[in-house]
């Protein structure tokens, strides 16, 4: 199941990079310090950190070791150290103690390959820490008449993300969420910010915004508007694989049915 149109997501990322504001949107600016603060409660092993989708943001101050910054676009003022795709990380197995991904999942067509790659590049005992957007994001769009409907929603529930992480071999996932509200002076200002959040890459999102005429009418609406973003925080661990247990590990137990039970 893909809730994001990966082709549209890449087109929007390239457009934002040409505008020079990718990685500087208010949502990323608000979520990044909250994400880093959540790392303070984790017993992170020392070692290298992979910052996936680093964009133009700074490295986390709580990093337990040197940070390798990875993104798939190179045109930032502070370019990433490595170019690569979150679904095909160009890194060797077991290279990192921490994989960090802030607001990367909302840009992905399917988070499962990323979870599998994160497990592959993590050493045993390492951690994945990432953020995403939950299904309550943009709930206010349901009240905008022609812009309403399920097509405006395109994000996985935190429980689904935890299940995906476990299916990829990551253990003990812990998911939590909070709701951030953003106020805009007009609907036009709201839509300009939405184009930088990745949410317009959600499957069907463009269609849900209606015809160009309806969209133009929305842009002309001068009244202020507020939007809710449900931010999901997910932490999971790369635990050593348990060895398969076969007949050599079986223990024989003999039951003596002829003797009465002891009193």
């Amino acid at each position: 199941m893909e809730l994001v149109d990966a082709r549209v997501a890449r087109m929007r990322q390239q457009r934002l990079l040409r505008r020079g504001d990718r990685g500087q949107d208010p949502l990323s600016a608000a979520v990044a310090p909250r994400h880093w603060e959540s790392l303070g409660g984790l017993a992170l092993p020392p070692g290298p950190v992979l910052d996936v989708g680093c964009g133009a943001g700074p490295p986390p101050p709580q990093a337990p070791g040197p940070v390798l910054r990875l993104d798939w676009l190179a045109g930032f003022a502070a370019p990433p150290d490595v170019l690569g795709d979150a679904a095909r990380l160009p890194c060797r197995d077991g290279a990192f103690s921490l994989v960090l991904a802030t607001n990367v999942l909302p840009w992905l067509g399917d988070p499962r390959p990323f979870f599998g790659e994160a497990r592959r590049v993590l050493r045993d005992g390492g951690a994945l820490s990432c953020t995403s957007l939950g299904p309550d994001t943009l709930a206010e769009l349901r009240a905008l008449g022609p812009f309403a409907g399920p097509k405006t929603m395109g994000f996985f529930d935190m429980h689904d993300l935890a299940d995906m992480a476990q299916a990829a071999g990551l253990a003990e996932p812990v998911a939590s969420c909070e709701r951030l509200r953003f106020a805009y002076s007009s609907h036009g200002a709201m839509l300009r910010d939405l184009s930088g959040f990745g949410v317009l890459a959600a499957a069907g999102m463009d269609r849900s915004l209606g015809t160009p005429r309806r969209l133009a009418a929305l842009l002309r609406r001068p009244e202020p508007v507020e939007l809710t973003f449900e931010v999901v925080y997910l932490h999971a661990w790369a635990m050593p694989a348990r060895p398969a247990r076969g007949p050599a590990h079986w223990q024989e137990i003999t039951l003596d049915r002829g003797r009465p039970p002891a009193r």
Side-chain angles (χ1 to χ4, degrees), residues 121-227:
V121 302
L122 279 171
R123 59 186 57 169
D124 289 345
L128 165 69
S129 182
C130 59
T131 71
S132 188
L133 295 176
D136 285 345
T137 297
L138 305 181
E140 293 82 358
L141 291 186
R142 301 189 186 108
L144 293 180
F147 315 101
K151 288 180 180 178
T152 60
M153 304 297 103
F155 306 104
F156 289 100
D157 180 87
M158 66 177 181
H159 303 292
D160 294 329
L161 292 172
D163 289 343
M164 292 178 192
Q166 277 194 303
L170 293 159
E172 302 177 5
V174 177
S176 61
C177 68
E178 67 172 333
R179 288 169 176 80
L180 304 181
R181 294 182 65 82
F182 288 80
Y184 299 95
S185 59
S186 68
H187 287 69
M190 173 194 75
L191 286 176
R192 283 192 294 274
D193 263 1
L194 286 182
S195 69
F197 291 165
V199 296
L200 292 183
M205 187 61 154
D206 287 339
R207 293 188 298 275
S208 72
L209 290 174
T211 64
R213 173 181 288 182
R214 288 174 175 171
L215 184 56
L218 182 63
L219 288 169
R220 289 195 297 269
R221 292 174 66 169
E223 65 268 23
V225 62
E226 289 190 352
L227 286 181

Side-chain angles (χ1 to χ4, degrees), residues 1-244:
M1 175 174 58
E2 292 194 0
L3 300 186
V4 173
D5 187 325
R7 180 186 61 83
V8 173
R10 295 228 169 194
M11 289 173 57
R12 292 195 180 279
Q13 286 177 316
Q14 290 172 328
R15 183 185 307 166
L16 291 168
L17 184 60
R18 288 195 296 269
R19 276 175 22 189
D21 58 2
R22 183 173 176 255
Q24 303 298 321
D25 65 80
L27 182 64
S28 294
V31 171
R34 287 171 165 81
H35 187 192
W36 298 340
E37 183 179 353
S38 72
L39 299 177
L42 302 179
L44 297 173
V49 177
L50 179 64
D51 186 2
V52 180
C54 61
Q62 296 91 341
V67 179
L68 184 71
R69 302 170 69 254
L70 180 146
D71 208 293
W72 79 278
L73 292 173
F76 303 107
D81 302 312
V82 177
L83 293 179
D85 193 321
R88 293 183 297 275
L89 297 175
C91 307
R92 61 180 176 84
D93 297 0
F96 300 96
S97 292
L98 173 65
V99 172
L100 190 69
T102 303
N103 281 0
V104 171
L105 270 61
W107 289 98
L108 301 180
D110 184 352
R112 289 170 292 188
F114 166 69
F115 286 132
E117 282 291 273
R119 176 62 188 94
R120 179 183 65 80
V121 302
L122 279 171
R123 59 186 57 169
D124 289 345
L128 165 69
S129 182
C130 59
T131 71
S132 188
L133 295 176
D136 285 345
T137 297
L138 305 181
E140 293 82 358
L141 291 186
R142 301 189 186 108
L144 293 180
F147 315 101
K151 288 180 180 178
T152 60
M153 304 297 103
F155 306 104
F156 289 100
D157 180 87
M158 66 177 181
H159 303 292
D160 294 329
L161 292 172
D163 289 343
M164 292 178 192
Q166 277 194 303
L170 293 159
E172 302 177 5
V174 177
S176 61
C177 68
E178 67 172 333
R179 288 169 176 80
L180 304 181
R181 294 182 65 82
F182 288 80
Y184 299 95
S185 59
S186 68
H187 287 69
M190 173 194 75
L191 286 176
R192 283 192 294 274
D193 263 1
L194 286 182
S195 69
F197 291 165
V199 296
L200 292 183
M205 187 61 154
D206 287 339
R207 293 188 298 275
S208 72
L209 290 174
T211 64
R213 173 181 288 182
R214 288 174 175 171
L215 184 56
L218 182 63
L219 288 169
R220 289 195 297 269
R221 292 174 66 169
E223 65 268 23
V225 62
E226 289 190 352
L227 286 181
T228 298
F229 293 87
E230 181 186 14
V231 182
V232 176
Y233 302 87
L234 176 67
H235 310 301
W237 298 89
M239 304 301 291
R242 294 182 177 180

